[in-house]
Amino acid sequence: MQKMPAWADVVLIPLISVLLASIISAIVILAIGENPWAALKLMVSGAVGSSYGWGYTLYYATNFIFTGLAVAVAFHARLFNIGGEGQAMLGGLGVALICLYIPWPHWTLALLFATASSALFGALWAAIPAYLQATRGSHIVITTIMFNFIASGLLNYLLGNQLKPSGQMEPATASFPEPAHLPTLNDIAGLFGSDLFRSTPVNVTLLIGLVACVLVWFLIWRTRLGYEIRAYGHSESAARYAGISPNRIIMITLLISGGLAGMMAINNVMGEAERLVLNAVEGAGFIGIAVALMGRNHPVGVLMAAILFGFLYQGGAELALWTSIPRELIIVIQALVIMFTGALDNLVRWPLERVFAATRSTRGAE
Amino acid sequence: MSAAPAIELKGISKAFGPVQANKDISIRVMPGTIHGIIGENGAGKSTLMSILYGFYKADAGEIFINGQKTEIPDSQAAIASGIGMVFQHFKLVENFTVLENIILGAEDGALLRPSLAKARDELKSLAEEYGLNVDPDAVIEDIGVGMQQRVEILKALYRQADILILDEPTGVLTPAEADQLFRILERLKTEGKTIVLITHKLREIMDITDTVSVMRRGEMTATVKTADTSPPELAELMVGRKVLLRVEKVPAKPGEKVLEVRNLNVTDDKGVHRLKNVSFDVRAGEILGIAGVAGNGQSELLEVLGGYEEATGTIRVNGQEIDLSGAHSDGQSRRARGIAHVPEDRQREGLIMDFFAWENTAFGYHHDPAYQQSRLLMDNNAIREETAAKMERFDVRPPNPQLMAKSFSGGNQQKIVLAREIERNPDLLLVGQPTRGVDIGAIEFIHQQIVALRDQGKAILLVSVELDEIVSLSDRIAVMFDGQIMGERLPEETNAQELGLLMAGITDTDRPHSVAEIEENLANAGVGRAEVGD
């Protein structure tokens, strides 16, 4: 028996959660003596009020699409991949190596190989925790989170020593050569004589992200592998009965998950920075967890949640720029949204379920 | 006029959302009687008793205890009114002693010693009064299931219960232990206690109760004197139509050996020997029934045959040896060999409760080319259509492939599993607990399907803890105890008593045996500590 209709689960709960988070954020903003209404107006106009704002919002959203999908895919096997951050860092390494050391004739080829390389690096970084989980039962949450630190240390070392051009102070690679630069959506709009997304970093990776959403949907709901992943996720004992190997599912699922997280790097490293810098991921790996939670692990939900978080990122940056609301408070607002949509899901769900149960029983009694 | 009823319920109603679990139920249980409440799964028996014990609050209705109108908001209030409950799944702390379990929640003060001393004296007098002998210092996990149940009864008596409610008390007992329990209940009755026995087993109702109430779909359909009724009449009242209680079948015509099992051994992760040199054959066109108390290696046997438990030994199917090495999850190759498996626990193994019915129909056979649209994609429409057809043939209600497995009743869930496995036309069908938690109407249907498959010349290995089911379905019966096969019998040449002794590990079945001896045997083998399903 369904406790409430699907639309309430998918639309109403996230909506109420966001509303609650906004109310508390408004109270916090009031408390420091700012005007929450003005702040909201600024966020909205800054993030979605212009094609410039949209450009940034969508750029951030692209990052979150990949990390959100990564968490969502793993979650279908009830594997909690907290390692998106580290996997995306390694993906960046994969992109950098491909772009720096191979002379590409055209960006399309570079993109193709950089995508493959980023996915491969991300997947390999997930492979070690996956193997430990499958064969030794080492908990994936612990190992992946530890691997984030190892990834950070590894990149610190490589960027500080091997990959840094001699004579440069900053721990970063050299800029990628021109043919490895991805066209931004503004460049593409320019072909049609439009100035959409003026000088914003949103680039062709967004389209790859959308394709990834579709592919993940096919993987999870239409392929045999997705069927096995979901079966294993719902019931390991039943999966064993059906002849589905748990070890195989754990390995494959986390490789896909790690690959998706790694692919984020084509957006931020290849598409935006055009070189690999330290801390390029900027927490997007963790935001992916919230995005997947809010998006109910469905690609469409992930896409919507990614855009919402893109809005929060861009809107937050605008707040920091134009008001005296400190940057830390913007993180507080983002954290509130994560908390309400993710961690405090049941806070909204239980009362809502009761409301639906009550309305149904009165209807039943008539 | 005689004394006031020990329990009187008037117009009790309880709804869970749209489901009316109890509808205007009225019942009178007279003091000093054993009152049976019988009904199919989901008929509302447990809900009614939960209301009486304070777990649920009734939407409407009144409760009278010994003629007094009583409010029972929680179990504390129920205990205070003299009601004791023995649950199907015992609520005992495994590593506490009997005495510690008995005082748990009824300690007199901050220090344990005085309570324990008082309980020890009390226990002694209870033992004398009711013949309930238990070693107060035994640790729960070391004693058998029958003994544990006795501790539950003692817990209730220690809290001065005058009314004892027992929920499906014999589900986990051997026939001998069940007899012993009934003797205790008789004794409690003569000492003036009132007993409510909830069960779905007609035989128990006929054996022990004075009065019986029948529930169907949340309603009380009848309350009759047990002496004035008969099993067929009760079955009809429970189901709402005439039911065949015996399985109709012609003698088996056994053919070639389909399954040969030789010296099968299984040792689990903890190093416990679960199967010990198990050997047997199943021929085409016969049903071999494996009887035994739950937890004696039957589950492991099915898991090994189904390909998801490692073992040593030899298994041949149609003369071909099966690879047992490292077979952690080899279910696919077993299916390819013509082995179909209806697992013991449909909710944990046979079905994914959060999958749609159609997804469950492909489960385990999802590599079947008929289910693929292309190399990568599954043909979900084909699976849906096939599911609809199967649901029609197996009378699954509601016949909607788009419902999740968890929204079907136990019997209909089992039919979904059976349809999937039987319609694969296997050479060998493994069936574990085919009718556990299944209502009588569906039991009849499921038994017919199994016998029909046998009559098509298929080999069937049936594992069940319901002795009646084993005896009525099997062409041969093997009894398992402590991981071994204790013996094989023909159903027409044996009886419940002999099988009961074999189930307790006693092979010299000609000699008379005391219940104490049987219990000791069971306890020594550690029987009954394995999980028990409902």
Side-chain angles (χ1 to χ4, degrees), chain B residues 247-253 285 287 451 454-455 472-475:
Chain B
V247 184
E248 302 271 341
K249 64 179 175 111
V250 294
K253 296 189 233 16
I287 299 176
V451 171
R454 178 202 75 160
D455 292 342
S472 63
L473 275 181
S474 308
D475 301 310

Side-chain angles (χ1 to χ4, degrees), chain B residues 226-403:
Chain B
T226 310
D228 300 340
T229 186
S230 65
E233 187 192 1
L234 286 178
E236 196 179 332
L237 284 168
M238 276 165 74
V239 184
R241 63 179 169 85
K242 284 215 184 302
V243 190
L244 278 176
L245 289 177
R246 287 215 56 88
V247 184
E248 302 271 341
K249 64 179 175 111
V250 294
K253 296 189 233 16
E256 295 288 305
K257 282 180 191 169
V258 173
L259 175 68
E260 294 166 79
V261 174
R262 294 290 176 273
N263 298 319
L264 205 61
N265 280 282
V266 167
T267 308
D268 70 11
D269 311 340
K270 296 185 190 98
V272 180
H273 221 141
R274 290 293 183 183
L275 288 184
K276 299 170 184 165
N277 288 320
V278 170
S279 299
F280 61 87
D281 295 325
V282 189
R283 290 173 177 276
E286 72 164 356
I287 299 176
L288 173 68
I290 306 258
V293 182
N296 275 289
Q298 305 98 311
S299 307
E300 287 78 6
L301 178 63
L302 285 178
E303 286 168 11
V304 169
L305 290 168
Y308 51 107
E309 175 73 83
E310 279 179 278
T312 58
T314 317
I315 297 177
R316 273 189 289 272
V317 174
N318 291 325
Q320 278 192 310
E321 193 166 333
I322 282 179
D323 178 23
L324 295 176
S325 61
H328 237 327
S329 188
D330 199 25
Q332 290 300 322
S333 76
R334 301 300 160 85
R335 287 175 175 84
R337 296 262 195 134
I339 304 176
H341 181 186
V342 177
E344 287 186 295
D345 190 336
R346 59 179 166 269
Q347 306 202 339
R348 275 189 74 246
E349 297 188 336
L351 296 167
I352 303 252
M353 302 310 279
D354 287 318
F355 267 18
F356 298 118
W358 65 269
E359 288 176 301
N360 274 301
T361 292
F363 195 51
Y365 300 98
H366 50 280
H367 289 276
D368 185 336
Y371 295 157
Q372 318 302 323
Q373 193 177 59
S374 63
R375 236 171 60 79
L376 275 176
L377 301 185
M378 291 181 80
D379 192 347
N380 293 347
N381 284 330
I383 302 173
R384 270 186 216 113
E385 277 168 28
E386 192 184 305
T387 307
K390 279 187 174 160
M391 289 176 124
E392 196 74 34
R393 284 196 290 274
F394 275 73
D395 190 29
V396 178
R397 279 178 240 178
N400 181 356
Q402 294 284 14
L403 288 179

Side-chain angles (χ1 to χ4, degrees), chain A residues 105-182:
Chain A
H106 192 261
W107 66 266
T108 45
L109 270 179
L111 176 62
L112 199 67
F113 281 84
T115 305
S117 173
S118 63
L120 184 72
F121 271 66
L124 286 179
W125 201 246
I128 305 165
Y131 179 78
L132 291 173
Q133 167 83 64
T135 60
R136 294 270 173 271
S138 315
H139 205 285
I140 196 81
V141 169
I142 312 284
T143 46
T144 50
I145 207 160
M146 289 306 168
F147 264 65
N148 289 338
F149 290 98
I150 302 175
S152 171
L154 181 68
L155 282 186
N156 231 325
Y157 171 76
L158 289 176
L159 287 175
N161 300 285
Q162 273 70 18
L163 295 173
K164 184 176 67 137
S166 54
Q168 181 183 309
M169 292 299 287
E170 194 192 3
T173 67
S175 284
F176 301 156
E178 183 69 33
H181 290 187
L182 293 181

Side-chain angles (χ1 to χ4, degrees), chain B residues 12-55:
Chain B
I12 297 282
S13 290
K14 175 75 188 169
F16 297 103
V19 181
Q20 192 75 31
N22 283 165
K23 249 178 280 179
D24 191 24
I25 288 187
S26 297
I27 184 174
R28 295 157 72 102
V29 178
M30 300 313 287
T33 63
I34 300 183
H35 192 116
I37 296 185
I38 195 166
E40 298 188 305
N41 291 286
K45 298 169 297 196
S46 296
T47 306
L48 188 64
M49 289 307 124
S50 298
I51 289 170
L52 190 52
Y53 201 63
F55 283 168

Side-chain angles (χ1 to χ4, degrees), chain A residues 72-335:
Chain A
V73 166
F75 194 78
H76 280 286
R78 294 298 180 277
L79 294 167
F80 209 0
N81 179 13
I82 311 271
E85 190 81 6
Q87 289 143 18
M89 284 183 211
L90 265 288
L93 183 62
V95 167
L97 295 177
I98 284 282
C99 294
L100 282 172
Y101 298 112
I102 300 176
W104 294 103
H106 192 261
W107 66 266
T108 45
L109 270 179
L111 176 62
L112 199 67
F113 281 84
T115 305
S117 173
S118 63
L120 184 72
F121 271 66
L124 286 179
W125 201 246
I128 305 165
Y131 179 78
L132 291 173
Q133 167 83 64
T135 60
R136 294 270 173 271
S138 315
H139 205 285
I140 196 81
V141 169
I142 312 284
T143 46
T144 50
I145 207 160
M146 289 306 168
F147 264 65
N148 289 338
F149 290 98
I150 302 175
S152 171
L154 181 68
L155 282 186
N156 231 325
Y157 171 76
L158 289 176
L159 287 175
N161 300 285
Q162 273 70 18
L163 295 173
K164 184 176 67 137
S166 54
Q168 181 183 309
M169 292 299 287
E170 194 192 3
T173 67
S175 284
F176 301 156
E178 183 69 33
H181 290 187
L182 293 181
T184 61
L185 292 191
N186 179 238
D187 295 338
I188 295 172
L191 298 178
F192 303 97
S194 148
D195 194 24
L196 204 64
F197 304 123
R198 173 176 49 90
S199 65
T200 59
V202 63
N203 59 76
V204 289
T205 315
L206 174 63
L207 307 177
I208 297 181
L210 295 177
V211 171
C213 286
V214 176
L215 290 181
V216 165
W217 182 85
F218 268 98
L219 169 73
I220 296 296
W221 278 284
R222 291 301 315 278
T223 67
R224 200 163 58 236
L225 176 63
Y227 178 88
E228 291 191 338
I229 289 174
R230 287 185 295 128
Y232 171 77
H234 281 300
S235 169
E236 178 172 355
S237 52
R240 276 159 45 84
Y241 154 81
I244 297 167
S245 158
N247 292 5
R248 183 174 156 267
I249 295 298
I250 292 171
M251 282 307 295
I252 295 181
T253 307
L254 283 172
L255 287 179
I256 295 172
S257 173
L260 282 165
M263 279 165 71
M264 176 197 134
I266 51 175
N267 188 48
N268 66 335
V269 176
M270 195 177 182
E272 197 253 355
E274 293 170 348
R275 59 179 189 144
L276 183 60
V277 297
L278 210 54
N279 192 24
V281 183
E282 292 182 304
F286 293 113
I287 299 288
I289 299 166
V291 167
L293 272 170
M294 192 175 181
R296 297 275 173 275
N297 301 303
H298 192 287
V300 175
V302 165
L303 177 63
M304 314 266 263
I307 293 172
L308 173 77
F309 277 90
F311 160 80
L312 285 176
Y313 254 55
Q314 170 56 14
E318 291 286 315
L319 273 190
L321 193 61
W322 299 110
T323 69
S324 57
I325 297 176
R327 181 128 197 97
E328 287 69 27
L329 196 75
I330 290 141
I331 299 175
V332 169
I333 294 171
Q334 288 162 356

Side-chain angles (χ1 to χ4, degrees), chain B residues 501 506 508-514 517:
Chain B
L501 286 171
I506 293 164
D508 47 344
T509 47
D510 299 332
R511 180 169 73 80
H513 294 269
S514 72
E517 190 182 348

